[in-house]
Amino acid sequence: MDISSLLAPQDSTAADEALLSRGGSGSGRRTHSSSHTQTSLPTPSVVGAESTPPSNIRGAPLVNGTTTARQNPTTTVGMDTLAELASMQHHQQAARASATGLRSAELIDPRQLPAMGFQSMQACSHNTKRKCTPCSSLDITMTDAPSSEQARPRAACVSEEDQQTIAELITYLKSNLYAYESYVQLINLLHQGFISHVHPPATTTHDDTPSSFELLAELRWARELMAERFAAGEEIWVDWISDESMLANTLEENIDVIELCKKAVEDEAGSTRLWLLYGNWMRILYDAAHFGNKESLSGAQVKGTKPWTEEEREMGKELFSWENMLDIWKQGVRATRWRINDSYQVWNEYASSLLDDLKMAPSTAKIENIRAAFTDRLQVPHTGWDQTSHEFSMFITNYDNASYEETMVRANSLAKSAKEKYAMREMYELEVIRAIKSADRDAEWIAFTRYLEWETGQSRKKTDLQLCCALYERLLSRFGVEATLWEEYVYFILEKRVDIGPNAVSLLEILKRATRHCPWSGGLWSQFLLSLERAGKPFQEVEAIKHKATQTGLFDIGGWEEVMKVYIAWCGFLKRRAFLEKATDEDLDVAEVGIRSALEGVAELGKRKQGKDYHGDPRFRLESIYIQYLSEKGLWEEAREVWKDLVKDRGDSHTFWLSYYTWEVLCWGRASGAQSAVSANTGRLLPPPSYATGVLQQAVKRPDVDWPEKVQEALLDHVQIHDDAKELQEAVLLVRRMSKVVKKRREQQALEAATLAQSQEPNVSAAATLAAANEEVVSSTKRKRGLETDAGDTSTVKKGRQDTLVQIEQPEVDQKLPATSLMKRDRENTTVIVRNLPASATEAKVRQYFRDCGTINSIKVLLDGDGDSATATIEFESKDDVLAAQTRDMKRFDGNEIEVHIGTGLTLYVTNYPPTADEAYIRDLFKDHGEIVDVRFPSLKFNTHRRFCYVQFKYPSQARNAMKLDGISLGERETLVVKMSDPNRKEDRKGPVHEGREIFVANLDWSATEDELSQIFLKYGTVERARIPRKVNGASKGIGYVVFSSKDEANAALDLHLTKFKSRVLNVALSEPNPTKRQATTIITSEPSLGQANGKHSPPLPHHQESPMADTSTPPPQPSNHTTSSIKEKTLGVMNVPDTVNDARITQLFSAYGQLKRVLLRPDHRGAIVEFENVADAGKAALALEGVEIAPGRKLMIGSVQELMREKAEYRDGKLVPSRLQKSTHVKRPVQQNSAGRGVAGGKRRGGLGFKAGVRGVGNTSSTGGLKETDKDEGSSREKESGNIEARTGKPKSNADFKAMFLKQEH
């Protein structure tokens, strides 16, 4: 144990210095640093579909200590020989390099690389054999760099633009060694160039041998450098292995590819693609050694490859044996066993190899081994189970036909559970496949998370832990840089105890992979340290992991809080280890030195990064651990000195003083326990806790404590219990005096805040502003108190809940309640503006920097006009979060001193614009008044008649300037309203319903008109308007609304309640406000219902509701012969419509393709129903509007009404949630009326698996959906037209009935 290493944890280790002194050449064979996870990386188009990494990927460092590759427990003698040979060859290479004084040609220092010079690197590597041995960061960064005077090589297969980009990326990486996205982009550009070089167009005549690629050395350097710092990921590993397989000539180079494969499957343990590459490459080398026909992994001969010598073939026969190849396939089957979707690929190769082996040398042992392998495989749920069963059947037929039936019955019985499990998950698997094929990362994330939520949410008996872990691994292979996902995986393993038992998952291996994928996550590093401690690992191993976490620039990438998490875990480990039962004095010394070194290291790091702005950890967590260590050691005075040192920086926090006080009380309690025996004998009272009293008195006397009432209350309670009357009286006087000081200070702050607010809001009265400011100042001096509430006192909680319910249900009753208590979200007061950010700042970095301040709802980053800086708007969940964010004002962010301001006065409330206005219209309207950050429309899910929006500007002056548009005319009917958004100034609702001037009339005669309805109510006063809502076909709904000029007239009209009018008795009542309007119906044309044509009437609505008093003059009913099926053919279900789009925009969009009859907005189903006048127009609209983007990122999908009604409303919690709706696979077109054969409208459609025979309709292949009212009136027209005997007679069909139906169809 080296205590000196604890004193300087940020310095390089002795091993690193020795490596540096050797110039990067080790004494033994070096291995690639272990990369243990699967991550989603861009795939070059040559290999597969290109994808973009998630926007929140952050470049992060990883320590390059000596990493020992994970040893497989089932290594064979042949594999051991292979490793020994590789080590021996590396010794020979190192000796040759040492003799010539040269360093590895492909190890380049990025900090010395010229922006435009690659020639020296290329010249050294083209004719040098490839050494795929990995290297440490010191190897890579400290070797000789090429001369900047050398000319850049001209790669014919790489465009001039791409070559320039490559040069710029390498230049950038010289000073940004941990820029993840830059590595990915550079590697993909170089790989695409390599593939274009190897497979050039037919017209190209350049040398296309793989080794002649001009930028080969750059490609190898970039891959090795990235693999040292990050997990390379499945895609990059696949490209890397494939490229090197084409470059390998000699036996030694082929062994290097084997090494790459081994490291790849350790890095991505469950990757089916990598295990296939590994096994297939071993088979290729086996064939080359035994038969001399070596190919590349693509299956083709590579130009420039040389046949092996006889000596190499003889050595290859020993290394690449059939047993070694089978062992690799066996390991692959074990690693991918529980991957339901694609594990069959590895299994098929393994099974095929086993059967080939049996054919070459049959034996009873091999037959039993294959039987056991198939039996075990059939008990695992997987795609291709039927194929596996068929292969097993063939195997038993050939080798044990006598017991075929018994064997297959037993196998099927054992496999019953596996088949059931697969059937339960098949729907989720298909959803994931569709999402991946759509290349929509949001849809893929949603599909996987829904699957995972279902998989892990089952009961304990039904939960399959292996399948859960495999699903986590699959999700992480696509989103490997999501630290929160890794944390969820780790917590799942701990909760379910998956790391214990016969099928245990290695938690340490998972944490090793997690920290490699997300080295910026202090939470993962701290879990790693804690798990190592629980596993009882040696101190040196825990120390090495701690140094890995802290020596890689964690502060620069992850932020301050992530660094603190690592140091807290480390210091906690040292403290606990020091007081174990078997601890020695040396352990105590190591703990003290380590904790003090951590304190000094954190302070030094903070001062170096933040300068004078650094004031330590606001929560003094490391100091608390040190104090606890000193206390347990009995060094009370030393611990008290630590508390006193903290007073300077933490004295304004009530939390600090209460913690200090609590510690003093504990010290007094321990000391009094030792004196209790003496006091009992002498009869003396124990001395009071004077130190604790002094702490509280000191806290109360400070005028800058953030919550003075809390410490005042603590002081009074303390002296009441522990001190005498004199101390109690003096404490009361002290609290009284300091309360006056606090009150005076708050009044002064309130006055200053009121003055500032009044200057920004000149229309608000000074008194109102002062009151609001005073309330804000009082609340701002108090921190969150939720954690300090007595858990046993439930009366307060219950009372608060009851009050909240009253406020929600009857907001107009209690006028004394502040408006803020009635709001769900207050963006104007929970938003901060961050200015002077560096131009390179991303949303992910800003979120990382401010995440400790509270819950962040949204972030927007805009580049300033000068291009050198950026401004961000951050919306938090509460005002307390905003106060915490303000503490970052004047702090440094990536070298820039940022400004943090509360985002009040930035947002305008805009209404009374044209109904068809969208975001582009609003932005164009306000573009001349400043830079617009965001335009927000309200959700129409609960009220489809809302028409307003919020426009947020970058600066308050711009918002005030834009208020000049208030009152301008936008047309004949609209006068724009623009006000400063203020949730506290909400106006009362107006209109006939809220003023009590509208009555609701139910049970109205079906033939009654608006004029007749007005006439019967004229005797009670002036009737401003009468309206009878109608159906799409023009029929009355049996209800009406009448608006009077005054409330008294409406009340008088209630006398007509239960009065007969024509054929029915009226029900009259005042209309009641109903804010929930989940549908908005726009009737363009109307016609009488089929029921009217038949002399029937539709029943009235059972209850009344508030009517949207729109101007709806209904034309007189016209006769019509439309049937239910024809209405369905003309009706479209429009899906994936955001709940912020109104019916006017839908009408405007679809009316361009023909005459509309009705538009029904259904935000509760994320869509709308659009009915046309004729089928042809509906067909044109369906074809033209499928996939049209109606809002950013939201493309329309056209289908049937049934499909629309299956969709659910969008869920909003204040954060952006992508739509879960999957894209339709095809456009459903309406059937033309004049078409022949199967396309005839109303014609019959053959039934199929899962579909009933029925009438075809627009976008409705199964077809019972359409207009609900019509369906109810007319019944099922499909049954009538298809000759459904049961529907006509009401009796079950007999065989004779079915025969009659078939005969009728034949004729």
Side-chain angles (χ1 to χ4, degrees):
M1 182 183 309
D2 186 8
I3 296 181
S4 62
S5 66
L6 299 174
L7 296 174
Q10 304 297 331
D11 298 336
S12 298
T13 62
D16 292 331
E17 294 175 357
L19 183 61
L20 176 60
S21 66
R22 291 195 299 268
S25 56
S27 59
R29 182 167 182 82
R30 294 170 296 178
T31 58
H32 286 281
S33 63
S34 180
S35 170
H36 295 281
T37 109
Q38 301 164 315
T39 186
S40 175
L41 296 174
T43 308
S45 57
V46 178
V47 178
E50 183 173 356
S51 61
T52 306
S55 59
N56 63 341
I57 293 179
R58 293 155 291 188
L62 183 64
V63 151
N64 298 287
T66 357
T67 314
T68 304
R70 183 177 55 185
Q71 298 297 327
N72 294 320
T74 57
T75 55
T76 63
V77 176
M79 295 303 292
D80 293 337
T81 305
L82 175 63
E84 292 173 2
L85 175 65
S87 178
M88 177 185 67
Q89 291 168 342
H90 179 71
H91 281 297
Q92 296 170 354
Q93 297 163 17
R96 289 195 296 267
S98 177
T100 56
L102 297 177
R103 293 176 180 172
S104 179
E106 59 266 34
L107 303 181
I108 307 301
D109 182 359
R111 292 169 291 190
Q112 301 178 16
L113 256 174
M116 307 294 289
F118 303 144
Q119 186 63 41
S120 61
M121 190 162 46
Q122 182 61 35
C124 295
S125 61
H126 281 174
N127 299 319
T128 305
K129 70 175 185 63
R130 169 63 178 145
K131 289 181 287 189
C132 292
T133 57
C135 46
S136 70
S137 296
L138 291 172
D139 290 327
I140 294 175
T141 58
M142 302 307 294
T143 49
D144 291 333
S147 172
S148 60
E149 285 121 17
Q150 297 288 347
R152 178 160 57 97
R154 310 295 297 178
C157 53
V158 181
S159 67
E160 187 67 29
E161 181 181 358
D162 286 347
Q163 291 194 57
Q164 181 64 29
T165 302
I166 291 170
E168 292 173 356
L169 286 171
I170 293 180
T171 302
Y172 178 74
L173 287 172
K174 290 191 298 182
S175 55
N176 299 272
L177 296 176
Y178 302 99
Y180 180 92
E181 295 92 342
S182 298
Y183 283 113
V184 173
Q185 185 181 1
L186 176 61
I187 290 171
N188 285 338
L189 284 174
L190 291 170
H191 170 71
Q192 290 175 3
F194 177 78
I195 296 299
S196 300
H197 173 85
V198 176
H199 304 287
T203 57
T204 305
T205 59
H206 73 271
D207 181 9
D208 57 356
T209 58
S211 60
S212 64
F213 178 50
E214 294 85 349
L215 302 179
L216 179 58
E218 288 82 351
L219 176 58
R220 286 170 166 171
W221 165 79
R223 281 170 171 165
E224 291 183 353
L225 193 62
M226 180 186 181
E228 284 296 314
R229 286 160 173 76
F230 306 100
E234 183 184 66
E235 298 294 344
I236 288 183
W237 272 120
V238 168
D239 296 341
W240 194 348
I241 294 171
S242 300
D243 295 350
E244 292 299 337
S245 71
M246 289 188 284
L247 291 161
N249 275 321
T250 65
L251 177 64
E252 183 179 355
E253 291 170 346
N254 284 282
I255 292 175
D256 287 338
V257 179
I258 286 288
E259 278 197 20
L260 274 183
C261 292
K262 291 173 62 178
K263 293 303 176 185
V265 295
E266 288 179 0
D267 196 349
E268 311 293 336
S271 171
T272 301
R273 296 172 64 189
L274 290 175
W275 278 109
L276 287 172
L277 284 176
Y278 191 5
N280 286 330
W281 181 245
M282 195 67 177
R283 178 61 182 263
I284 289 171
L285 296 183
Y286 171 82
D287 291 341
H290 291 79
F291 309 109
N293 54 343
K294 178 179 177 293
E295 299 175 347
S296 68
L297 282 170
S298 62
Q301 293 290 340
V302 181
K303 291 184 178 181
T305 56
K306 300 177 182 179
W308 290 0
T309 65
E310 286 299 324
E311 182 183 357
E312 288 178 327
R313 288 187 61 182
E314 289 300 322
M315 189 175 296
K317 289 179 181 180
E318 179 184 356
L319 296 175
F320 312 125
S321 65
W322 186 264
E323 290 75 15
N324 287 342
M325 185 190 67
L326 283 179
D327 184 65
I328 289 173
W329 285 124
K330 185 176 182 180
Q331 293 178 44
V333 168
R334 188 185 304 115
T336 61
R337 172 184 176 89
W338 297 103
R339 287 177 66 100
I340 288 182
N341 61 321
D342 57 7
S343 61
Y344 69 92
Q345 300 178 36
V346 180
W347 161 259
N348 289 345
E349 295 290 343
Y350 177 51
S352 177
S353 299
L354 287 176
L355 293 174
D356 290 344
D357 183 51
L358 181 61
K359 291 177 183 178
M360 290 187 295
S363 70
T364 304
K366 290 182 179 180
I367 292 175
E368 293 303 320
N369 180 45
I370 296 175
R371 182 200 301 268
F374 267 106
T375 304
D376 179 68
R377 179 62 181 170
L378 289 173
Q379 297 179 58
V380 177
H382 64 278
T383 302
W385 187 94
D386 291 335
Q387 179 184 354
T388 306
S389 178
H390 174 72
E391 291 174 352
F392 184 45
S393 174
M394 296 298 295
F395 167 76
I396 295 299
T397 300
N398 294 331
Y399 294 97
D400 191 12
N401 193 37
S403 61
Y404 175 84
E405 185 175 352
E406 178 185 353
T407 302
M408 294 306 298
V409 169
R410 178 176 179 273
N412 287 328
S413 175
L414 293 174
K416 181 180 179 181
S417 175
K419 296 171 68 175
E420 291 176 351
K421 289 179 180 179
Y422 181 80
M424 294 170 61
R425 292 159 176 81
E426 188 172 14
M427 177 185 67
Y428 292 100
E429 290 289 343
L430 293 175
E431 184 178 357
V432 169
I433 292 173
R434 286 195 297 267
I436 293 175
K437 288 183 177 180
S438 70
D440 186 343
R441 297 285 288 174
D442 288 336
E444 186 180 344
W445 171 264
I446 291 171
F448 264 118
T449 51
R450 286 181 60 185
Y451 190 0
L452 185 62
E453 182 180 358
W454 174 84
E455 188 73 80
T456 58
Q458 299 185 79
S459 63
R460 181 180 295 272
K461 292 183 179 180
K462 293 183 178 181
T463 301
D464 192 310
L465 299 180
Q466 284 75 24
L467 290 177
C468 290
C469 291
L471 188 56
Y472 267 113
E473 293 285 354
R474 289 171 59 189
L475 181 55
L476 287 166
S477 70
R478 305 292 295 175
F479 300 93
V481 293
E482 294 290 338
T484 54
L485 187 58
W486 281 104
E487 291 176 358
E488 288 295 327
Y489 187 19
V490 171
Y491 294 145
F492 172 81
I493 292 174
L494 292 173
E495 281 183 21
K496 303 296 184 180
R497 310 300 297 165
V498 187
D499 56 335
I500 299 175
N503 298 319
V505 175
S506 175
L507 180 60
L508 294 180
E509 287 296 329
I510 290 174
L511 284 167
K512 187 186 297 183
R513 295 165 51 205
T515 52
R516 183 160 168 77
H517 266 90
C518 304
W520 53 80
S521 173
L524 289 173
W525 284 110
S526 63
Q527 279 294 328
F528 200 176
L529 293 171
L530 187 59
S531 298
L532 288 170
E533 181 183 358
R534 288 190 60 191
K537 296 298 180 180
F539 174 82
Q540 291 77 8
E541 187 173 346
V542 181
E543 182 187 27
I545 296 301
K546 178 264 177 183
H547 288 333
K548 267 192 176 184
T550 57
Q551 289 179 349
T552 54
L554 179 63
F555 181 87
D556 297 325
I557 306 301
W560 173 261
E561 184 61 25
E562 303 307 311
V563 175
M564 289 301 302
K565 290 177 182 178
V566 175
Y567 275 109
I568 290 169
W570 168 245
C571 293
F573 162 70
L574 292 177
K575 181 186 74 68
R576 289 188 293 271
R577 179 174 175 272
F579 295 103
L580 291 175
E581 185 178 354
K582 298 181 180 179
T584 63
D585 292 341
E586 184 181 3
D587 295 333
L588 287 170
D589 295 338
V590 168
E592 182 168 3
V593 172
I595 297 174
R596 291 178 58 183
S597 176
L599 286 167
E600 295 169 1
V602 168
E604 181 182 354
L605 183 63
K607 291 176 182 178
R608 186 169 69 247
K609 296 296 182 180
Q610 300 181 14
K612 297 181 180 179
D613 295 332
Y614 175 75
H615 299 292
D617 178 18
R619 296 161 61 185
F620 48 93
R621 288 165 288 184
L622 290 182
E623 290 84 352
S624 297
I625 295 175
Y626 188 37
I627 291 171
Q628 184 66 21
Y629 166 80
L630 294 174
S631 301
E632 292 189 29
K633 198 175 178 181
L635 304 176
W636 308 104
E637 290 301 325
E638 288 83 347
R640 186 171 287 112
E641 289 299 321
V642 177
W643 281 113
K644 292 179 180 179
D645 292 340
L646 286 171
V647 171
K648 179 181 178 181
D649 293 326
R650 305 274 74 85
D652 58 349
S653 169
H654 77 281
T655 304
F656 164 76
W657 288 110
L658 294 180
S659 300
Y660 188 2
Y661 160 73
T662 303
W663 180 83
E664 288 288 4
V665 172
L666 290 175
C667 293
W668 172 78
R670 290 189 180 183
S672 61
Q675 299 177 13
S676 59
V678 177
S679 300
N681 294 331
T682 60
R684 299 177 183 176
L685 295 176
L686 293 175
S690 57
Y691 280 114
T693 307
V695 168
L696 290 177
Q697 289 175 343
Q698 185 180 359
V700 170
K701 292 178 182 179
R702 287 188 64 109
D704 57 345
V705 176
D706 53 5
W707 194 355
E709 291 86 355
K710 194 68 177 177
V711 292
Q712 292 172 3
E713 178 184 346
L715 175 60
L716 294 177
D717 291 342
H718 172 77
V719 296
Q720 182 74 37
I721 296 172
H722 296 287
D723 288 307
D724 54 19
K726 178 183 177 182
E727 291 291 340
L728 176 59
Q729 194 171 45
E730 290 179 354
V732 171
L733 293 175
L734 176 61
V735 169
R736 180 181 177 84
R737 183 172 68 254
M738 294 308 302
S739 297
K740 294 179 180 180
V741 173
V742 171
K743 182 179 179 182
K744 185 176 181 180
R745 173 170 57 87
R746 287 177 177 170
E747 290 175 351
Q748 181 64 29
Q749 291 176 350
L751 182 60
E752 294 174 359
T755 304
L756 178 61
Q758 191 172 3
S759 64
Q760 296 177 352
E761 298 282 353
N763 296 328
V764 181
S765 65
T769 305
L770 179 60
N774 189 35
E775 180 182 356
E776 180 66 21
V777 168
V778 172
S779 63
S780 68
T781 60
K782 300 179 181 181
R783 302 285 181 91
K784 297 180 181 180
R785 308 181 186 180
L787 297 177
E788 300 172 22
T789 305
D790 187 0
D793 186 7
T794 58
S795 60
T796 305
V797 178
K798 293 180 180 179
K799 181 179 180 180
R801 290 177 180 173
Q802 294 172 356
D803 293 344
T804 303
L805 290 176
V806 172
Q807 294 170 17
I808 293 174
E809 295 176 0
Q810 301 177 356
E812 298 180 359
V813 174
D814 191 355
Q815 300 294 339
K816 298 180 181 180
L817 292 174
T820 53
S821 65
L822 305 178
M823 295 187 301
K824 295 182 179 179
R825 189 168 178 181
D826 185 3
R827 288 186 176 92
E828 285 68 30
N829 295 313
T830 57
T831 301
V832 298
I833 309 299
V834 185
R835 297 193 175 97
N836 199 35
L837 288 166
S840 60
T842 63
E843 290 187 10
K845 290 183 178 180
V846 175
R847 182 181 295 274
Q848 181 72 22
Y849 187 79
F850 283 94
R851 70 176 189 174
D852 298 327
C853 300
T855 302
I856 297 176
N857 286 342
S858 64
I859 294 179
K860 288 186 178 294
V861 179
L862 295 178
L863 195 65
D864 293 338
D866 56 6
D868 297 330
S869 60
T871 300
T873 60
I874 308 174
E875 182 196 346
F876 288 94
E877 194 170 69
S878 66
K879 294 182 180 179
D880 289 335
D881 299 340
V882 171
L883 295 175
Q886 282 187 289
T887 62
R888 304 295 173 93
D889 187 33
M890 306 306 291
K891 299 295 177 63
R892 291 197 171 273
F893 183 103
D894 285 354
N896 285 25
E897 190 175 87
I898 61 175
E899 301 175 10
V900 182
H901 304 282
I902 298 179
T904 55
L906 299 174
T907 306
L908 298 179
Y909 169 81
V910 182
T911 187
N912 212 32
Y913 45 78
T916 57
D918 56 5
E919 182 175 343
Y921 179 92
I922 298 297
R923 286 184 178 273
D924 184 69
L925 186 64
F926 287 91
K927 65 180 181 181
D928 297 332
H929 297 276
E931 190 171 357
I932 298 175
V933 175
D934 191 19
V935 177
R936 301 192 305 271
F937 288 88
S939 172
L940 306 180
K941 185 164 55 176
F942 300 105
N943 188 347
T944 55
H945 295 171
R946 306 169 85 183
R947 196 206 314 171
F948 62 87
C949 68
Y950 297 95
V951 182
Q952 183 179 352
F953 287 88
K954 195 171 184 179
Y955 297 99
S957 58
Q958 296 174 345
R960 290 194 295 270
N961 186 40
M963 291 180 66
K964 297 177 182 178
L965 296 178
D966 183 38
I968 68 170
S969 177
L970 298 180
E972 297 180 358
R973 301 178 60 183
E974 289 88 9
T975 300
L976 188 67
V977 176
V978 182
K979 302 293 184 183
M980 188 65 69
S981 177
D982 185 358
N984 295 327
R985 298 172 60 186
K986 184 177 180 180
E987 296 182 358
D988 295 335
R989 294 183 179 272
K990 299 179 181 179
V993 177
H994 295 278
E995 295 170 3
R997 297 188 291 110
E998 183 184 88
I999 62 171
F1000 169 77
V1001 184
N1003 209 34
L1004 193 62
D1005 190 272
W1006 305 111
S1007 62
T1009 64
E1010 279 80 356
D1011 291 339
E1012 292 174 340
L1013 184 61
S1014 298
Q1015 287 297 325
I1016 63 173
F1017 284 100
L1018 278 177
K1019 61 182 179 180
Y1020 297 104
T1022 303
V1023 176
E1024 294 185 351
R1025 181 166 50 181
R1027 186 175 69 85
I1028 298 177
R1030 299 184 182 276
K1031 303 176 184 178
V1032 173
N1033 52 24
S1036 169
K1037 290 186 177 181
I1039 59 175
Y1041 298 90
V1042 181
V1043 177
F1044 290 90
S1045 59
S1046 68
K1047 181 177 180 180
D1048 294 337
E1049 294 173 350
N1051 287 326
L1054 297 179
D1055 291 342
L1056 287 183
H1057 181 55
L1058 300 181
T1059 301
K1060 187 173 183 180
F1061 172 63
K1062 289 193 173 183
S1063 62
R1064 310 185 74 182
V1065 177
L1066 300 179
N1067 292 321
V1068 183
L1070 289 175
S1071 293
E1072 298 177 358
N1074 180 12
T1076 303
K1077 307 180 185 70
R1078 298 177 181 268
Q1079 304 178 15
T1081 306
T1082 303
I1083 300 177
I1084 292 86
T1085 60
S1086 61
E1087 58 186 36
S1089 66
L1090 299 176
Q1092 281 183 313
N1094 297 331
K1096 300 177 182 180
H1097 302 290
S1098 300
L1101 294 180
H1103 62 278
H1104 70 279
Q1105 59 183 9
E1106 176 192 357
S1107 67
M1109 297 303 294
D1111 186 10
T1112 56
S1113 55
T1114 306
Q1118 299 295 331
S1120 173
N1121 295 322
H1122 286 289
T1123 64
T1124 302
S1125 60
S1126 65
I1127 292 176
K1128 294 175 183 176
E1129 293 169 3
K1130 298 183 296 182
T1131 305
L1132 303 177
V1134 186
M1135 293 169 282
N1136 205 25
V1137 177
D1139 61 4
T1140 58
V1141 175
N1142 58 16
D1143 55 336
R1145 289 182 58 188
I1146 300 292
T1147 302
Q1148 181 188 43
L1149 185 63
F1150 280 82
S1151 61
Y1153 299 93
Q1155 178 64 41
L1156 301 178
K1157 178 179 289 186
R1158 179 186 69 151
V1159 175
L1160 175 61
L1161 187 66
R1162 295 304 301 265
D1164 53 336
H1165 292 282
R1166 279 185 293 170
I1169 299 173
V1170 179
E1171 182 181 354
F1172 282 84
E1173 281 287 346
N1174 59 72
V1175 177
D1177 294 340
K1180 289 189 297 182
L1183 290 171
L1185 296 178
E1186 174 73 23
V1188 171
E1189 191 172 68
I1190 193 172
R1194 299 294 290 272
K1195 295 182 179 180
L1196 293 180
M1197 302 179 210
I1198 310 298
S1200 67
V1201 177
Q1202 276 187 328
E1203 291 173 327
L1204 170 64
M1205 301 309 289
R1206 284 195 293 264
E1207 297 300 326
K1208 297 180 180 179
E1210 289 186 72
Y1211 172 72
R1212 291 173 177 266
D1213 61 350
K1215 304 173 182 62
L1216 180 62
V1217 178
S1219 171
R1220 294 189 177 185
L1221 192 63
Q1222 301 297 329
K1223 296 184 179 180
S1224 57
T1225 56
H1226 61 277
V1227 179
K1228 298 182 179 180
R1229 302 175 177 82
V1231 182
Q1232 302 300 318
Q1233 290 181 344
N1234 297 328
S1235 59
R1238 296 182 181 178
V1240 176
K1244 298 169 185 170
R1245 173 175 58 83
R1246 292 180 61 188
L1249 182 60
F1251 297 94
K1252 296 180 180 179
V1255 182
R1256 291 182 178 270
V1258 174
N1260 188 10
T1261 57
S1262 61
S1263 154
T1264 57
L1267 303 177
K1268 293 185 177 179
E1269 292 94 346
T1270 309
D1271 288 344
K1272 290 179 180 179
D1273 292 341
E1274 299 304 313
S1276 177
S1277 62
R1278 182 176 61 210
E1279 293 180 349
K1280 296 177 182 179
E1281 296 184 14
S1282 63
N1284 192 324
I1285 298 174
E1286 183 178 355
R1288 295 196 302 267
T1289 63
K1291 300 178 180 179
K1293 293 188 288 291
S1294 64
N1295 291 336
D1297 294 331
F1298 279 111
K1299 183 176 181 181
M1301 291 172 60
F1302 288 130
L1303 292 174
K1304 181 179 179 180
Q1305 291 178 356
E1306 291 178 358
H1307 289 83

